[in-house]
Amino acid sequence: MTQGTLQLSKVWQMLGTLTLAVLLFSLLGCGGEGEDRSAGTRDASTETPGPTAETGTAAPGTGIAPIELPGLEMPDQAILQQVHGKLQGAITALRQRQGDSAINYFNAAIELLPDAPVLYYYLAVGLSSQSKYEEALASLEKAAELGFCDPLKIEHDPVFVGVRELDGWLPLQDQMQGERTRQRPASQVSYRELDPEQEPAFEDLAELQTHYTELLNQRSGLLAIYPDVIIMPHVWDMLNHKMAALRKFQERELDDTQKIQVDLDLLKTVNAYENPQQTPWLPSTVEIVTRVANEFIQRHSDEPEPASQASYVQIRAEALGRDPSSITDGDLTEDIERLTAIHDKYPGTAGALFALMDVLEMIKDRDGLGSEAMATMVQKLKSGYADHPGLRQMAYKLQPYVLAVEGLPEFTVTDLSGKEWNSRNLGGGVILFDFWATWCAPCLQELPNLIQLYSMYKDRGFQILGISLDEQQKISEDDLKKWIKENNITWPIVYSGQGWSTTGVHECGATAGIPFPILVGRDGKVITAAEGATGQNLAKELAKLFGES
């Protein structure tokens, strides 16, 4: 093993796909808030790239002109920066429960770019947070008129509960879905093999990486204001150009260190072809991912860390190339065996960790939570990866499996009315333990959903016990009681003023991030937790428990 290879092993980072989450979602809607930044981030590799270069000018750091965006007029960079600033202001306002201020920020962004569809969607988020549902619907209609066509963002978001009850929502939903169906063929064209000789000549790999990273960031930054079906074809195109440029660079006389650097970049680039909106993956995408991963493994099989991740990328691409409706238990079992083999061959590596986390999900789909196979896998992760930094980053995803296997820990808390609650003596009902805080934006976003579900099922045996992680120095008990009343919370709330030291937090693993709800069934067993107990996932579980269709 060369010294260069050893150095590269040390700097190898977890493979991350090109993030499609736009500015608002990454900060407001999707991620839990944890005891610290790393603990509260469900995907620590997630970054929201911003605009960095104008069409027709050289990419920063290089003297090479960027490739044009056919069919898309690039907004002025200065205006884009102002828009992103307004969105940041809106996010801060929403976090602080200042909905009217957030609406003003969104409107200011729209004044700067009145033809940007996604900005009207953001405005609808702000309006809905203030229960201005008719105005929110009108803003969504404007977004759809300009090309926004992602009804799933409204269907699965608790903040839009009131909008979905309006008569105008279903026709708008159909309109958006029809437009998405019409545009989807263009957004499905991902990998194309380009002529490497047509790519620019770069002095070194760093210049190549800077050039294409800036151009990818430029295009990805537009996802904050334009629908993904419009922007993603341009992202795929830039990935194709970068792949061709890396192939061209491979033809040079390179030393061992340079060879593995290029191969690593090829592997990371090919992994960015993932499209969460598109399952199954196109055969061309599966083919290129598999081919590059195989090439990497053949050339660097003696490097456990990167080879493990190449193996993971390869198997995952093949699995995602299947039609989800055709996947059988036999397919899942085969995938489980192949992914587990990565751990057997490269124990303790990031690729093996990714693989075992996927295995947990497959076991849940095949056998359900709490099975013997799941217990074995949980133990394998806890014993073999306890000190791996990646496991902490995945703690929010892992903890529901731990609770399902090990059961709800015993702890006793007292709510604001003085009633004592013991986690092992729940009286045979269905209960949601909800770890939350008034300062947690995702917690506040989930509130309308909880209020609606509690109203639907509280007379049928459904209970919620909110366990507040607020601190005494930031909000007193009297102020919290006032806040609870103002926000129409009618279920019991536990408050000790001790923040992350509140009883139950560490016992249940809620330090992984909040909101951290745990749904417990009549038999006292954990049914689901974390993301599985929020939004539409919680609604579906309760519908099953209480006999709803």
Side-chain angles (χ1 to χ4, degrees):
M1 189 179 298
T2 66
Q3 182 62 32
T5 302
L6 285 169
Q7 292 172 347
L8 286 165
S9 292
K10 294 176 183 178
V11 302
W12 174 266
Q13 298 176 342
M14 293 182 183
L15 282 171
T17 59
L18 182 66
T19 301
L20 300 183
V22 294
L23 187 66
L24 193 70
F25 280 104
S26 64
L27 294 178
L28 173 66
C30 297
E33 300 200 22
E35 188 170 11
D36 55 41
R37 281 186 178 272
S38 60
T41 305
R42 296 182 193 173
D43 178 4
S45 67
T46 298
E47 297 177 0
T48 303
T52 55
E54 295 182 58
T55 299
T57 62
T62 76
I64 301 167
I67 297 166
E68 300 289 331
L69 296 179
L72 180 68
E73 183 177 346
M74 183 70 183
D76 180 79
Q77 184 183 19
I79 291 179
L80 275 177
Q81 290 174 340
Q82 291 181 57
V83 168
H84 278 262
K86 302 299 182 187
L87 293 181
Q88 288 282 9
I91 290 164
T92 300
L94 286 171
R95 285 179 179 274
Q96 297 173 349
R97 303 285 291 172
Q98 297 173 358
D100 288 336
S101 177
I103 290 169
N104 290 336
Y105 275 113
F106 288 135
N107 278 320
I110 288 172
E111 287 182 13
L112 291 166
L113 284 176
D115 295 329
V118 180
L119 295 183
Y120 292 91
Y121 162 76
Y122 293 159
L123 176 60
V125 172
L127 291 166
S128 291
S129 73
Q130 294 298 97
S131 301
K132 299 178 180 180
Y133 301 127
E134 294 282 357
E135 294 177 55
L137 181 64
S139 189
L140 289 173
E141 289 172 342
K142 180 64 175 179
E145 176 187 326
L146 292 172
F148 179 82
C149 52
D150 192 353
L152 291 177
K153 287 184 177 177
I154 296 97
E155 291 173 24
H156 296 160
D157 194 333
V159 79
F160 287 118
V161 168
V163 171
R164 295 194 294 267
E165 293 175 349
L166 298 176
D167 291 339
W169 164 241
L170 289 179
L172 180 60
Q173 181 185 37
D174 291 341
Q175 177 188 336
M176 287 186 185
Q177 190 57 57
E179 179 63 15
R180 193 164 191 86
T181 300
R182 187 185 71 80
Q183 293 191 22
R184 183 161 182 164
S187 70
Q188 287 183 319
V189 179
S190 53
Y191 177 67
R192 291 184 300 115
E193 192 157 356
L194 303 180
D195 181 3
E197 294 306 315
Q198 298 302 311
E199 296 304 311
F202 297 93
E203 288 191 13
D204 53 38
L205 184 60
E207 185 184 42
L208 183 155
Q209 291 170 330
T210 298
H211 175 73
Y212 290 102
T213 296
E214 295 291 355
L215 294 177
L216 280 163
N217 284 351
Q218 178 196 54
R219 286 145 179 78
S220 302
L222 295 177
L223 287 166
I225 56 176
Y226 295 109
D228 62 287
V229 293
I230 295 175
I231 301 303
M232 287 314 299
H234 299 298
V235 174
W236 306 144
D237 188 55
M238 193 48 54
L239 288 170
N240 292 332
H241 281 287
K242 185 181 179 184
M243 288 291 294
L246 287 168
R247 294 294 193 194
K248 181 176 182 177
F249 202 86
Q250 277 184 318
E251 299 303 315
R252 298 187 180 188
E253 290 292 331
L254 303 174
D255 61 28
D256 289 344
T257 297
Q258 291 172 325
K259 287 178 182 178
I260 195 170
Q261 283 178 327
V262 175
D263 283 347
L264 285 172
D265 208 6
L266 273 167
L267 190 59
K268 290 181 180 180
T269 303
V270 80
N271 195 51
Y273 279 96
E274 176 182 358
N275 182 356
Q277 306 297 326
Q278 174 188 305
T279 304
W281 283 9
L282 293 176
S284 59
T285 303
V286 175
E287 190 276 332
I288 185 60
V289 173
T290 302
R291 174 153 54 93
V292 171
N294 281 336
E295 289 172 356
F296 189 98
I297 294 167
Q298 290 170 9
R299 288 196 287 266
H300 309 292
S301 59
D302 60 341
E303 274 294 302
E305 189 59 65
S308 73
Q309 296 183 51
S311 299
Y312 170 71
V313 167
Q314 174 196 38
I315 295 170
R316 185 167 176 265
E318 292 175 3
L320 290 173
R322 302 192 196 108
D323 183 343
S325 63
S326 68
I327 295 176
T328 65
D329 284 351
D331 293 327
L332 290 175
T333 298
E334 181 180 349
D335 288 340
I336 287 169
E337 292 173 352
R338 296 177 68 198
L339 290 167
T340 304
I342 298 176
H343 162 79
D344 296 338
K345 187 172 183 178
Y346 307 109
T349 61
L353 174 59
F354 298 156
L356 295 187
M357 290 298 296
D358 277 9
V359 166
L360 278 177
E361 185 72 19
M362 293 175 182
I363 291 174
K364 183 187 76 172
D365 292 341
R366 187 190 66 180
D367 305 335
L369 282 172
S371 66
E372 183 177 343
M374 180 169 288
T376 300
M377 195 56 56
V378 165
Q379 184 55 41
K380 188 171 292 190
L381 278 160
K382 291 180 68 174
S383 61
Y385 298 84
D387 297 326
H388 197 290
L391 191 63
R392 185 179 183 188
Q393 293 171 358
M394 297 181 183
Y396 195 92
K397 182 178 179 181
L398 175 64
Q399 192 59 22
Y401 300 113
V402 174
L403 290 170
V405 168
E406 299 180 356
L408 190 68
E410 184 171 10
F411 60 93
T412 301
V413 289
T414 303
D415 67 29
L416 289 171
S417 72
K419 180 180 177 180
E420 191 174 90
W421 297 75
N422 182 275
S423 62
R424 294 286 176 85
N425 185 19
L426 303 175
V430 175
I431 183 168
L432 184 78
F433 289 91
D434 184 31
F435 293 90
W436 71 291
T438 59
W439 47 259
C440 166
C443 302
L444 304 184
Q445 188 185 17
E446 179 68 7
L447 265 183
N449 187 52
L450 291 180
I451 291 170
Q452 182 185 46
L453 293 173
Y454 187 62
S455 175
M456 289 173 60
Y457 297 113
K458 65 180 180 179
D459 294 332
R460 300 175 63 182
F462 176 50
Q463 302 178 81
I464 299 178
L465 180 64
I467 301 178
S468 168
L469 275 64
D470 287 289
E471 298 179 349
Q472 173 67 37
Q473 60 265 38
K474 294 183 179 179
I475 185 170
S476 67
E477 182 174 321
D478 288 341
D479 287 341
L480 180 61
K481 287 180 178 178
K482 181 180 178 182
W483 190 96
I484 289 168
K485 184 176 181 180
E486 290 174 348
N487 285 273
N488 302 313
I489 296 175
T490 56
W491 53 84
I493 298 293
V494 171
Y495 169 79
S496 67
Q498 297 178 8
W500 295 99
S501 298
T502 298
T503 299
V505 173
H506 286 266
E507 291 89 336
C508 294
T511 53
I514 58 173
F516 191 80
I518 305 169
L519 184 63
V520 180
R522 299 180 182 91
D523 57 1
K525 294 182 179 180
V526 173
I527 297 172
T528 187
E531 288 184 346
T534 61
Q536 290 300 304
N537 292 327
L538 177 60
K540 291 175 182 177
E541 291 293 345
L542 293 178
K544 288 190 290 185
L545 288 166
F546 293 104
E548 302 288 337
S549 58

